[in-house]
Amino acid sequence: MDNDPNINKILIVDDDKSVIESVRGILDKNGYVTTIARNGKNALAKAKAHEFQLILLDIVLPDIDGYEVCRQLKLHGTTQNIPVIFFTGFKDENPISKSFDAGGVDYLSKPIIETELLARIAIHIKLSKLLYVLDADKKIAVSDAELKSSFLANMSHDIRTPLNGILGSINLLYETELTEEQGELVNVVSASGDSLLTIVNDILDFAKMDAGKLEVETVAFNIRDEIDEIIHSFYHVAERKNLNFFAEIDEDIPAVFVGDCSKIKQVIYNLVSNGLKYTAAGQVVIKVTDFKKSSDIGFGVTFKVIDTGVGISKEVVENLFKGFSLADASVSKQFNGGIGIAISKKIVKLLGGGIGVQSELNKGSAFWFTSSFYFPEKCDLEKKEQEMKKEVKKNIEILVAEDFLINQKVVKYTFKKLGYKVDIVKNGELAVQAFKDKYYDIIFMDIQMPVMDGHTATKNIREHEKNIRREKNIYIVAMTASTMKEEIKKCYDSGM
């Protein structure tokens, strides 16, 4: 009976017998279940032993006053959320103010008026139950968000890990002697792999946005180098279709931007992928122009992808950016299931820009989006790159901790092609032991490994460095398929 949610239980705290009988009589006949306490200590004990929906508390009690009783109730986990209504025979304003300061939710003056008592009790019990439901819903929502975050981290790792092996192997194949037919097949696999990676990125980012996990990054990057990389990625696709594929970047555009490079490239990838896919003859052009005059701290840029493809009808254009609520199902099928365009719109909005398209059926399309960037503060990217190149040594000792066999092979052949020697171990425990047995200049550390993960291995290595008083800590670089910000922070926190 004590746990029945349909029964409203009220604790009456007062040392005046006549007041107790009067209040209890009113409440009993109106369906409330009452319990009596005649002093403060007894009230605290009963409040902790039972579940009350409300407490009626007199201020003047024989042992400790009502204010102190209320303060102690608010300090205890099981009683802190019980609403407390004070009542007293005092007529001045000071007890009212002190009642609220102590944690009370309401105040009644003696003698108690029945209608006022019942009205205030009903309001506060209803409000208390509503707050309880809202708090429970909030806990469920937080739990769901944490579950989504964990799921996204695992999905990111499980999908990107084999993709890395595929794309890495393809890049290494390009360096070998291939027949014309083999080269063509490698081009097809490469294009398909890049397309799959773009779709995976889109799906994961869409899910991140839904979970509120996608955030804007700010890094310095050279826009011309990044556009060149995009051209290189799609070069074989354009060549196979005999299309002209190139970029035009205004001379006024600064060499180095500060902004979210990966998201900008992701949107351009999506637009270029669609442009090449639906252009049978002619060209696809990436244009980068200044749309807003530079200020002391930044400037605005317009990115365009212009093609001479099939074009889009006016009716379809109106629904194109509506994501998964497309009126014409054929549009969803045409534009990567709708997700590529939908995620592009969400990314651009996240970056504070705009996106749109100008198109005419059978005459081509011009997709565009805008974004703002900052000038780097005291950062000369090109100079730093040159300095880093000068510091590179071929005789450095490299250790790689990676459990995925395909990625082990990709890493091994990649370093071999670059002229480096590398040792490979398959878990964190072996990485720690290898570090103790041999001097290394740098460690590339996978995160999710059997026996011992990368975070634990890194912490153990850092602890060993302290014990042996190593003059300079080794560089430990995280190798992870996860893109979650929390995971990246965890890598830094563990000592990478």
Side-chain angles (χ1 to χ4, degrees):
M1 180 176 175
D2 194 49
N3 293 320
D4 190 339
N6 297 314
I7 296 176
N8 294 316
K9 298 174 283 293
I10 298 177
L11 176 63
I12 303 171
V13 187
D14 201 303
D15 63 331
D16 189 324
K17 185 177 179 181
S18 62
V19 172
I20 290 174
E21 291 177 352
S22 172
V23 173
R24 191 170 201 176
I26 294 170
L27 298 182
D28 287 351
K29 72 179 181 181
N30 283 279
Y32 294 102
V33 175
T34 57
T35 299
I36 303 302
R38 298 183 184 275
N39 59 60
K41 292 181 180 178
N42 187 231
L44 289 170
K46 289 187 175 181
K48 293 173 183 177
H50 303 277
E51 292 184 8
F52 293 105
Q53 274 65 56
L54 186 136
I55 297 174
L56 295 172
L57 180 60
D58 189 23
I59 293 175
V60 180
L61 296 170
D63 50 358
I64 54 177
D65 63 33
Y67 303 132
E68 183 59 28
V69 172
C70 189
R71 280 191 285 267
Q72 291 192 34
L73 287 171
K74 297 305 173 185
L75 292 173
H76 198 275
T78 60
T79 60
Q80 61 184 1
N81 293 321
I82 303 174
V84 176
I85 298 179
F86 283 96
F87 56 88
T88 184
F90 291 134
K91 298 299 181 183
D92 58 52
E93 292 184 2
N94 190 46
I96 299 176
S97 175
K98 291 177 70 175
S99 298
F100 290 119
D101 289 342
V105 297
D106 211 336
Y107 182 93
L108 286 168
S109 297
K110 296 179 181 178
I112 302 298
I113 300 171
E114 181 174 342
T115 54
E116 185 179 12
L117 174 67
L118 293 173
R120 297 202 182 196
I121 287 175
I123 288 172
H124 288 296
I125 287 179
K126 186 175 182 179
L127 180 60
S128 179
K129 289 182 176 179
L130 178 61
L131 290 173
Y132 177 82
V133 172
L134 290 174
D135 185 58
D137 288 344
K138 180 183 177 182
K139 288 178 180 177
I140 292 172
V142 169
S143 177
D144 286 347
E146 290 173 349
L147 188 63
K148 279 185 178 180
S149 179
S150 176
F151 173 76
L152 286 174
N154 290 330
M155 282 290 291
S156 176
H157 179 273
D158 293 345
I159 294 174
R160 291 174 191 267
T161 297
L163 261 179
N164 177 72
I166 294 169
L167 297 175
S169 299
I170 291 169
N171 288 332
L172 292 172
L173 269 176
Y174 277 125
E175 304 299 323
T176 65
E177 293 185 11
L178 300 171
T179 65
E180 185 176 344
E181 184 179 4
Q182 288 172 334
E184 181 68 19
L185 290 173
V186 171
N187 290 341
V188 171
V189 176
S190 177
S192 298
D194 287 336
S195 179
L196 180 59
L197 181 60
T198 300
I199 293 170
V200 167
N201 288 336
D202 286 340
I203 293 172
L204 290 173
D205 279 351
F206 207 91
K208 283 182 189 177
M209 283 187 171
D210 186 50
K213 294 290 182 180
L214 194 65
E215 298 182 12
V216 177
E217 299 175 347
T218 52
V219 296
F221 64 98
N222 187 313
I223 189 60
R224 288 167 176 79
D225 290 345
E226 302 301 333
I227 295 294
D228 283 346
E229 186 178 308
I230 294 172
I231 295 291
H232 177 74
S233 297
F234 288 101
Y235 173 77
H236 296 291
V237 179
E239 185 180 46
R240 191 167 61 251
K241 298 182 74 173
N242 200 28
L243 298 174
N244 291 319
F245 178 45
F246 57 95
E248 294 179 354
I249 303 176
D250 282 2
E251 292 182 0
D252 294 338
I253 299 294
V256 179
F257 288 4
V258 173
D260 198 320
C261 176
S262 62
K263 291 185 180 62
I264 290 294
K265 285 178 68 178
Q266 189 174 345
V267 176
I268 297 174
Y269 266 109
N270 281 330
L271 301 184
V272 168
S273 178
N274 279 324
L276 290 170
K277 187 174 183 179
Y278 297 104
T279 301
Q283 64 185 29
V284 176
V285 184
I286 302 172
K287 287 191 176 183
V288 185
T289 59
D290 189 354
F291 84 89
K292 192 169 66 176
K293 293 294 182 181
S294 298
S295 65
D296 291 337
I297 60 172
F299 56 97
V301 174
T302 296
F303 298 89
K304 289 184 179 180
V305 176
I306 305 168
D307 65 64
T308 56
V310 295
I312 312 169
S313 68
K314 183 180 179 181
E315 293 74 22
V316 172
V317 167
E318 292 175 355
N319 293 306
L320 188 59
F321 291 98
K322 292 184 179 179
F324 300 104
S325 61
L326 296 174
D328 185 349
S330 64
V331 180
S332 177
K333 184 178 179 181
Q334 177 176 338
F335 290 95
N336 288 344
I339 193 170
I341 297 298
I343 192 66
S344 294
K345 181 181 179 181
K346 284 181 174 287
I347 289 173
V348 172
K349 184 177 180 181
L350 183 70
L351 297 176
I355 189 169
V357 60
Q358 295 172 321
S359 186
E360 190 174 343
L361 203 59
N362 300 319
K363 291 189 177 180
S365 305
F367 283 86
W368 59 268
F369 70 96
T370 60
S371 187
S372 297
F373 299 92
Y374 297 97
F375 293 116
E377 294 182 10
K378 300 177 182 179
C379 174
D380 187 340
L381 199 62
E382 293 179 358
K383 184 178 178 181
K384 283 192 174 185
E385 288 175 350
Q386 292 298 323
E387 289 175 353
M388 288 175 68
K389 288 176 182 177
K390 289 179 182 178
E391 292 176 4
V392 171
K393 298 184 296 180
K394 292 296 182 181
N395 60 342
I396 62 174
E397 297 288 344
I398 300 173
L399 175 65
V400 175
E402 168 65 66
D403 65 309
F404 194 57
L405 183 60
I406 294 174
N407 284 342
Q408 287 181 2
K409 292 180 178 180
V410 170
V411 167
K412 181 179 178 180
Y413 286 122
T414 300
F415 278 123
K416 183 179 178 181
K417 186 183 71 173
L418 293 171
Y420 295 109
K421 292 181 180 180
V422 59
D423 292 334
I424 298 177
V425 293
K426 62 182 180 181
N427 62 58
E429 187 175 82
L430 293 175
V432 175
Q433 190 58 49
F435 174 76
K436 292 179 179 179
D437 293 342
K438 180 178 176 180
Y439 183 94
Y440 290 99
D441 296 283
I442 187 167
I443 299 175
F444 290 90
M445 184 78 74
D446 187 24
I447 302 303
Q448 295 187 22
M449 293 183 291
V451 184
M452 182 184 288
D453 63 48
H455 296 302
T456 305
T458 299
K459 290 175 183 177
N460 287 348
I461 289 171
R462 294 302 183 212
E463 187 64 30
H464 181 67
E465 286 177 326
K466 289 181 182 178
N467 294 335
I468 65 173
R469 298 182 180 179
R470 178 169 166 146
E471 185 177 340
K472 185 178 180 182
N473 285 349
I474 190 172
Y475 289 102
I476 302 178
V477 182
M479 272 199 320
T480 175
S482 176
T483 59
M484 303 295 286
K485 189 173 182 179
E486 295 89 342
E487 288 297 313
I488 295 171
K489 183 179 183 299
K490 194 175 177 182
C491 291
Y492 285 117
D493 290 345
S494 66
M496 299 181 190

